[in-house]
Amino acid sequence: MTNFLKTEGQEQRLCPEYPTRRTLCSSDRGCKKGWMDPQSKGIQTGRCVVYEGNRKTCEVSAWCPIEAVGEAPRPALLNSAENFTVLIKNNIDFPGHNYTTRNILPGLNITCTFHKTQNPQCPIFRLGDIFRETGDNFSDVAIQGGIMGIEIYWDCNLDRWFHHCRPKYSFRRLDDKTTNVSLYPGYNFRYAKYYKENNVEKRTLIKVFGIRFDILVFGTTLKYVSFVDESHIRMVNQKLLGRSLQDVKGQEVPRPAMDFTDLSKLPLALHDPPPIPGQPGEMQPLREEATPRSRDSPVWCQCGSCLPSQLPKSHRCLEELCCRKKPGACITTSELFRKLVLSRHVLQFLLLYQEPLLALDVDSTNSRLRHCAYRCYATWRFGSQDMADFAILPSCCRWRIRKEFPKSEGQYSGFKSPY
């Protein structure tokens, strides 16, 4: 509530309507007994009575005296509401990922106030600041009220190795603020306080002008997939998922400058220790012949190296993805995959580059190397970090990385939420 008008001492009886073009009359013939205009305050009795001075209006059976059509006070009576704050609690659920979270983070400082750049995660909003974001002045809006849309956009990446899910807030004025055009500008509503006086039921009618908040929540979990035998990347909206990722068409997105069409020409700046005897010493392009199909390879696999998902049946579609769209050699057979994704020396270097004092103990080494290998593959195949952050790795690549850096015990988390 920011402003209000009161009509006090109303009781149920007969009285003249408030003068308007529809209610003015000169005789009883101008009034119709039993008639109730949609904009009137009561039922007409059929009599034309004096309202004030020489003006006459149709008599009605209603709560009297009739509410006057008056202008909202200027400035608004509760103009100080500009400094009030509103706390928004928003819970969201991505059922396809079995993931639920909310916008209030653990350890929230309850004295914080939202600021677009300095404190963008704070869910406590000062009313004046909200309207300032939309280019409005709260003092002006407070007079006749308004409707403010608070948009909460959840742009989430729920992959275990790239997990990120935080809300972004924005604001939008929803009501028509052009008062000379709108028939009923702003936002208002009425309520009454009832009481008895001398055993007669009476009420005070209050017309309230205020701010209504519409909370608009949007969520998306866009994903990118890449096939070694295609020149483009596919953008997949998770809302459309319900079948194997291998079969989802998606939207074609241009691949970054580096391509996979000729691996032998790609430079390799990182150097491994001397090659192990018996292994090829030079980088070789992807073999033309198909990889022998594994006995456990599922029907949707095109390279022969994929394995069935360990996720529940309802979530398996998230991991049913091969490195190829059509039958052919698996990307994991290329020398470049070994050097860029599986090289323990390279992965340790990257981990220590990010955390120079990192202690690569025996228990955590494989886990760290495995997730670093996931990131290396995504960055290599998708080029742009924005795409890599939302990339889904093919089954064959994930299982080859897991074979190189196995988990000591338990089930791999796959695409399930870490929480």
Side-chain angles (χ1 to χ4, degrees):
M1 181 191 300
T2 58
N3 212 358
F4 61 89
L5 292 168
K6 290 199 300 184
T7 305
E8 298 180 296
Q10 286 187 323
E11 60 182 274
Q12 296 184 63
R13 56 182 173 84
L14 302 180
C15 60
E17 261 276 29
Y18 183 82
T20 65
R21 183 177 60 83
R22 291 174 175 267
T23 61
L24 287 171
C25 62
S26 57
S27 67
D28 291 349
R29 287 179 298 182
C31 304
K32 183 179 180 180
K33 186 177 181 178
W35 171 255
M36 186 175 69
D37 187 276
Q39 296 183 11
S40 70
K41 303 298 190 293
I43 301 174
Q44 291 187 13
T45 64
R47 297 176 58 205
C48 181
V49 296
V50 176
Y51 177 81
E52 183 181 49
N54 296 325
R55 288 193 296 176
K56 290 184 176 183
T57 61
C58 292
E59 185 182 61
V60 291
S61 174
W63 284 96
C64 303
I66 297 297
E67 177 189 28
V69 180
E71 290 288 331
R74 293 174 181 268
L77 298 175
L78 296 174
N79 201 38
S80 60
E82 179 176 8
N83 295 314
F84 290 0
T85 57
V86 55
L87 165 65
I88 297 178
K89 299 178 181 179
N90 176 215
N91 288 58
I92 59 132
D93 177 43
F94 287 100
H97 290 270
N98 192 27
Y99 180 79
T100 300
T101 188
R102 65 175 187 163
N103 66 325
I104 300 180
L105 304 177
L108 171 70
N109 178 7
I110 60 174
T111 63
C112 72
T113 303
F114 173 85
H115 189 278
K116 193 172 183 178
T117 56
Q118 298 178 8
N119 208 347
Q121 293 299 316
C122 179
I124 302 174
F125 304 86
R126 179 178 172 271
L127 301 192
D129 294 340
I130 291 177
F131 281 88
R132 191 173 296 112
E133 288 287 335
T134 63
D136 292 293
N137 187 305
F138 182 86
S139 297
D140 296 335
V141 179
I143 296 171
Q144 293 186 299
I147 304 175
M148 177 59 66
I150 300 179
E151 300 178 342
I152 308 177
Y153 180 64
W154 293 86
D155 188 1
C156 294
N157 182 354
L158 303 181
D159 292 349
R160 175 79 179 188
W161 45 91
F162 288 128
H163 182 269
H164 176 82
C165 195
R166 290 288 183 268
K168 294 180 181 178
Y169 302 97
S170 60
F171 312 95
R172 181 157 53 97
R173 181 83 178 271
L174 300 180
D175 62 296
D176 188 349
K177 55 187 177 182
T178 310
T179 55
N180 60 341
V181 175
S182 303
L183 183 59
Y184 300 106
Y187 178 73
N188 64 75
F189 60 93
R190 291 171 175 83
Y191 72 95
K193 291 183 176 181
Y194 295 86
Y195 60 94
K196 280 191 174 182
E197 186 178 276
N198 298 326
N199 209 30
V200 176
E201 185 180 28
K202 293 188 176 183
R203 75 176 190 180
T204 297
L205 181 66
I206 304 174
K207 181 180 181 180
V208 172
F209 302 88
I211 310 300
R212 190 183 84 187
F213 297 101
D214 285 359
I215 311 299
L216 312 173
V217 183
F218 305 89
T220 181
T221 52
L222 287 177
K223 299 294 183 183
Y224 294 94
V225 298
S226 170
F227 297 104
V228 71
D229 51 347
E230 290 186 344
S231 60
H232 55 266
I233 292 172
R234 295 175 183 249
M235 182 174 68
V236 179
N237 189 331
Q238 296 268 201
K239 294 179 183 178
L240 304 178
L241 292 183
R243 58 187 188 276
S244 169
L245 265 177
Q246 188 72 21
D247 300 327
V248 174
K249 185 176 181 180
Q251 178 182 344
E252 294 185 6
V253 179
R255 183 181 295 279
M258 184 173 287
D259 205 327
F260 195 75
T261 52
D262 190 353
L263 294 179
S264 62
K265 294 182 180 179
L266 294 177
L268 184 64
L270 300 171
H271 299 283
D272 266 348
I276 300 174
Q279 289 190 352
E282 297 181 359
M283 186 179 4
Q284 300 296 324
L286 190 63
R287 301 198 309 264
E288 293 297 327
E289 65 273 14
T291 308
R293 177 172 287 273
S294 166
R295 183 177 57 184
D296 299 324
S297 181
V299 294
W300 47 263
C301 179
Q302 301 297 316
C303 70
S305 299
C306 305
L307 294 177
S309 171
Q310 292 183 336
L311 295 183
K313 186 175 181 179
S314 58
H315 297 161
R316 287 176 189 170
C317 62
L318 298 171
E319 291 194 345
E320 293 182 351
L321 178 68
C322 181
C323 69
R324 304 188 64 92
K325 195 66 175 174
K326 298 178 181 179
C330 183
I331 192 175
T332 61
T333 63
S334 75
E335 181 68 8
L336 195 58
F337 184 89
R338 186 186 71 82
K339 287 183 175 291
L340 292 180
V341 180
L342 298 181
S343 169
R344 184 176 293 265
H345 173 74
V346 170
L347 297 177
Q348 288 177 341
F349 172 82
L350 290 174
L351 289 173
L352 291 172
Y353 178 80
Q354 295 171 358
E355 299 182 54
L357 302 181
L358 177 66
L360 292 174
D361 56 279
V362 176
D363 293 335
S364 64
T365 294
N366 266 8
S367 176
R368 289 179 176 273
L369 293 176
R370 184 170 62 252
H371 288 92
C372 185
Y374 291 149
R375 293 195 297 271
C376 285
Y377 178 87
T379 304
W380 168 43
R381 290 293 295 132
F382 293 86
S384 165
Q385 191 61 47
D386 291 338
M387 290 186 184
D389 286 348
F390 292 87
I392 296 182
L393 273 65
S395 171
C396 50
C397 299
R398 282 186 285 105
W399 284 108
R400 181 63 185 89
I401 292 171
R402 290 170 179 177
K403 181 179 178 181
E404 192 74 18
F405 310 108
K407 194 173 185 177
S408 56
E409 59 182 12
Q411 188 176 20
Y412 292 99
S413 59
F415 289 96
K416 292 180 68 176
S417 163
Y419 302 115

